[in-house]
Each structure stands twice: as structure tokens, then as C-alpha cells.
């Protein structure tokens, strides 16, 4: 038995490099100045601060660059340069921060459905988190900080669990999915309520099979390079606020209101995209990247569909 196994600590390939994190810089980046103890209250505050503070974006792929998931690269991009990222980047950085603060952190992957009814590859990263209270209460939490339209708060891993941070409503549902004629596996589906009615839409579904950084590296490669991935075709940028959710799909800018789910859509000129990224999404690009991005948007098919992000 190794030391890691005997103490219950993760082995070198199963952890999240929390010791390497510049914690002060990360907390300043998301605007968290509160308690740091590994409690449920702290987890809620950190989750909310991260979702509100760090946008979802795939711009590196559109600009023809790789998406590294090592912690130094993520700190440079998201913390130092105040950029965003997509699910693997968000979850990897958030996992390191939680691990550094003393939470118990495990990785999971999920299949994005968005109401399609289709089985898509497991290309979305979420976290299973234990707090200081878990040993006594048994309560475990799902943190989903990198979906784009993410919940503002974690959800308890319990059938029917709900969260409604600032009116954005989500719930978890436990189901059984067939493994064959006689076997079944437990599956959890995250739903979001759209608008003021009871119209719930399934977003993504996951099992509790543990995933490690190396597993996410494989999924990240697929999402960032496969020709059928929606992330290699056009910019996809999202940011959730207390009252509105902003999204950019290519040159289509969509604003969704929390209260009633109403949507306002505007078509941008390619040269307007970098300006909107800065003013609305808080993503600043240098002149060369702004020019390259505008050119990439200009080359997009005029009638291209608004696809479903996969992570």
C-alpha cells in the first residue's frame, strides 16, 4: 500500500495540483474575499464568484491555438490575463482551488444533451465535492462552473435537488440507464427551468465514474480538434449575470432575461465582435488577435446553424 492510499490522499496522477495554485491571485480574479474554510457556505460563495467572474469561451481554438490544461497555463490565461475558458479549463482550475482549500474533489464527465434525446460523447467536465460537513451529514455536492449557462451554486448530489440562485433554476434527477439486458447504471441529469413556467430542459447527464486530469486531457483533445466539435467552427462565448445571460455564437449576440426567459438577438458585423467581447463579456484581446478573430467570423457561412456546445 502506498502512502497516498494509506492516508486517503490522492496519488500524484489523481489530484489537481492545488499546491501549485497562486491562491491569492485566483481569489482576487473571481472577487472572493470571504471565508476560506472548506465548508458548504464557502463552497457556495466560491462557486458563485467563479461563475459570475470568469466567462465561458473557446477563442483559442478559433484562433488556431491549442488548449492546454496544465495548471501554469490555466493560471496564465484565466488568472493573469483575465481570459475565460470552456468546461475543462474552468473545472480544472476550480478543482485546484478547492483542493488547495481542503475540499475533497473528484472529477466527472457528462454528456451534453440539451433536450436532443441523442447520446453524445461525454465531453463536459463537472466536479464531485465533499466539504468539512460531509463526514457528519453525508452531503456531497456537484459543482458545474464551466457550462456557459452554469448554475450559480452547487447542487447537492441527491435526487430532486434544486438550486435557484438569482432565479436561474436547476434540478438534478437520478435515473437508471441500461447497460444490457439485465444490468443498469445510475445516471444523473441536470435540468434547467426555462422562463417563468414549469418547462424543464435537460442539459447534460453524468455517471459517478471517477475521472482524472488525464481523462479530461483526452476529452479536451477531442473537443478542441475534432471537425464535428462545435468549438472548432466558430466563437462560442457566454457569461451569466444575476439578471441576464449573455451569449455570442459566431456573430450572433443573444441576451436572455432571467425573469421570463425572453431573448433579444442581434447580428453583429465581424469587426464588432472584438469590441462586444470586451464591453459585454470582459474579454480583452490584443490587436493581432482581435483582427484574426474578426477575420475568422467573417469567413463563417452566413446561414450556419447555432449548434449545441459540448462542454
Amino acid at each position: 500500500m502506498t502512502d497516498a492510499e494509506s492516508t486517503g490522499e490522492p496519488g500524484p496522477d489523481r489530484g489537481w495540483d492545488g499546491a501549485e495554485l497562486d491562491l491569492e491571485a485566483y481569489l482576487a480574479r473571481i472577487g472572493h474575499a470571504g471565508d476560506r474554510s472548506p465548508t458548504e457556505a464557502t463552497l457556495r460563495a466560491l462557486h458563485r464568484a467563479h461563475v459570475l467572474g470568469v466567462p465561458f469561451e473557446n477563442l483559442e481554438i478559433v484562433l488556431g491555438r491549442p488548449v492546454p490544461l496544465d495548471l501554469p497555463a490555466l493560471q496564465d490565461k484565466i488568472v493573469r490575463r483575465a481570459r475565460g475558458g470552456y468546461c475543462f479549463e474552468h473545472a480544472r482550475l476550480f478543482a485546484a482551488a478547492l483542493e488547495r482549500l481542503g475540499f475533497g474533489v473528484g472529477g466527472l464527465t457528462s454528456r451534453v444533451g440539451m433536450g436532443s434525446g441523442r447520446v453524445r460523447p461525454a465531453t463536459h467536465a463537472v466536479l464531485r465535492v465533499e466539504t468539512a460537513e460531509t463526514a457528519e451529514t453525508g452531503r456531497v455536492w456537484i459543482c458545474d462552473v464551466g457550462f456557459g449557462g452554469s448554475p450559480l451554486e452547487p447542487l447537492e448530489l441527491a435526487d430532486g435537488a434544486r438550486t435557484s440562485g438569482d432565479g436561474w433554476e436547476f434540478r438534478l434527477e437520478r435515473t437508471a440507464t441500461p447497460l444490457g439486458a439485465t444490468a443498469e447504471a445510475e445516471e444523473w441529469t441536470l435540468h434547467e427551468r426555462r422562463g417563468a413556467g414549469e418547462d424543464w430542459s435537460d442539459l447534460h447527464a453524468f455517471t459517478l465514474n471517477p475521472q482524472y486530469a488525464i481523462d479530461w486531457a483526452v476529452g479536451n483533445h477531442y473537443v478542441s480538434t475534432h471537425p464535428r466539435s462545435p468549438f472548432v467552427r466558430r466563437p462560442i462565448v457566454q457569461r451569466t449575470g444575476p439578471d441576464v445571460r449573455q451569449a455570442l455564437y459566431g456573430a450572433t449576440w443573444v441576451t436572455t432575461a432571467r425573469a421570463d426567459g425572453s431573448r433579444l438577438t442581434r447580428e453583429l458585423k465581424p469587426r464588432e465582435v472584438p469590441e462586444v467581447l470586451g464591453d459585454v463579456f470582459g474579454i480583452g484581446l490584443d490587436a493581432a488577435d482581435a483582427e484574426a478573430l474578426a477575420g475568422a467570423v467573417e469567413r463563417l457561412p452566413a446561414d450556419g446553424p447555432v449548434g449545441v456546445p459540448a462542454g
Side-chain angles (χ1 to χ4, degrees), residues 60 95 98 102 114 137 175 179 189 196 206 209 220-221 256 286 291 299:
E60 294 300 284
L98 295 182
M114 299 294 288
T137 66
T175 58
L179 287 178
T189 302
F206 57 91
N209 181 41
N220 179 56
H221 176 71
T256 303
D286 62 29
E291 181 70 19
R299 292 189 294 272

Side-chain angles (χ1 to χ4, degrees), residues 105-223:
V105 188
L108 304 170
T109 55
S110 194
R111 301 179 188 275
V112 177
M114 299 294 288
S116 69
R118 298 173 56 191
V119 177
R120 292 190 169 108
T123 56
H124 177 57
V126 296
L127 299 173
R128 177 191 182 278
V129 179
E130 298 177 0
T131 71
E133 298 95 335
T134 297
E136 180 178 350
T137 66
R139 301 178 79 187
V140 174
W141 302 89
I142 295 297
C143 291
D144 185 10
V145 295
F147 193 69
S150 289
L152 292 184
E153 298 180 350
L155 284 94
E156 184 180 359
L157 185 61
D159 192 19
R162 295 194 184 195
T163 181
S164 56
D166 287 355
W168 302 107
E169 297 189 66
F170 298 83
R171 68 175 171 85
L172 272 179
E173 180 184 21
R174 180 173 54 195
T175 58
T177 184
L179 287 178
T182 61
E184 293 181 331
E186 182 179 83
E187 188 171 71
W188 295 82
T189 302
L190 180 67
H191 299 263
E192 181 182 15
R193 191 164 79 166
R194 301 294 176 84
E198 286 292 334
D199 184 15
W200 290 91
S201 175
D202 65 285
L203 301 181
H204 58 81
F206 57 91
T207 68
L208 299 182
N209 181 41
Q211 301 288 292
Y212 306 109
I214 188 62
D215 300 310
W216 284 358
V218 174
N220 179 56
H221 176 71
Y222 174 89
V223 168

Side-chain angles (χ1 to χ4, degrees), residues 39-305:
T39 63
E40 294 177 11
T42 300
L43 182 63
R44 291 182 188 278
L46 290 169
H47 194 290
R48 178 184 177 88
H50 185 109
V51 172
L52 293 177
V54 184
F56 178 102
E57 50 118 322
N58 70 327
L59 300 181
E60 294 300 284
I61 302 171
V62 178
L63 292 169
R65 295 195 282 256
V67 182
L69 295 184
D70 61 283
L71 195 61
L74 292 175
Q75 289 195 110
D76 177 65
K77 179 187 177 186
I78 297 177
V79 177
R80 186 178 68 82
R81 293 191 284 128
R83 286 279 303 278
Y86 63 7
C87 66
F88 291 111
E89 297 171 279
H90 279 269
R92 181 75 173 83
L93 182 61
F94 196 59
L98 295 182
E99 183 180 76
R100 174 69 176 272
L101 291 168
F103 292 90
V105 188
L108 304 170
T109 55
S110 194
R111 301 179 188 275
V112 177
M114 299 294 288
S116 69
R118 298 173 56 191
V119 177
R120 292 190 169 108
T123 56
H124 177 57
V126 296
L127 299 173
R128 177 191 182 278
V129 179
E130 298 177 0
T131 71
E133 298 95 335
T134 297
E136 180 178 350
T137 66
R139 301 178 79 187
V140 174
W141 302 89
I142 295 297
C143 291
D144 185 10
V145 295
F147 193 69
S150 289
L152 292 184
E153 298 180 350
L155 284 94
E156 184 180 359
L157 185 61
D159 192 19
R162 295 194 184 195
T163 181
S164 56
D166 287 355
W168 302 107
E169 297 189 66
F170 298 83
R171 68 175 171 85
L172 272 179
E173 180 184 21
R174 180 173 54 195
T175 58
T177 184
L179 287 178
T182 61
E184 293 181 331
E186 182 179 83
E187 188 171 71
W188 295 82
T189 302
L190 180 67
H191 299 263
E192 181 182 15
R193 191 164 79 166
R194 301 294 176 84
E198 286 292 334
D199 184 15
W200 290 91
S201 175
D202 65 285
L203 301 181
H204 58 81
F206 57 91
T207 68
L208 299 182
N209 181 41
Q211 301 288 292
Y212 306 109
I214 188 62
D215 300 310
W216 284 358
V218 174
N220 179 56
H221 176 71
Y222 174 89
V223 168
S224 63
T225 63
H226 196 281
R228 294 188 62 184
S229 168
F231 293 124
V232 304
R233 305 173 199 164
R234 56 179 182 153
I236 299 175
V237 185
Q238 298 185 53
R239 188 161 198 171
T240 297
D243 299 313
V244 297
R245 181 179 295 155
Q246 304 285 358
L248 184 69
Y249 306 103
T252 303
W253 174 17
V254 181
T255 300
T256 303
R258 168 189 56 78
D260 58 7
S262 61
R263 289 159 58 102
L264 176 64
T265 300
R266 175 185 170 188
E267 292 298 325
L268 302 174
K269 296 177 181 179
R271 302 294 163 179
E272 293 178 305
V273 169
E275 181 179 353
V276 170
L277 285 175
D279 293 344
V280 177
F281 297 91
I283 297 173
L285 301 178
D286 62 29
D289 281 353
E291 181 70 19
L293 182 64
V297 172
E298 195 166 19
R299 292 189 294 272
L300 290 173
D303 59 348

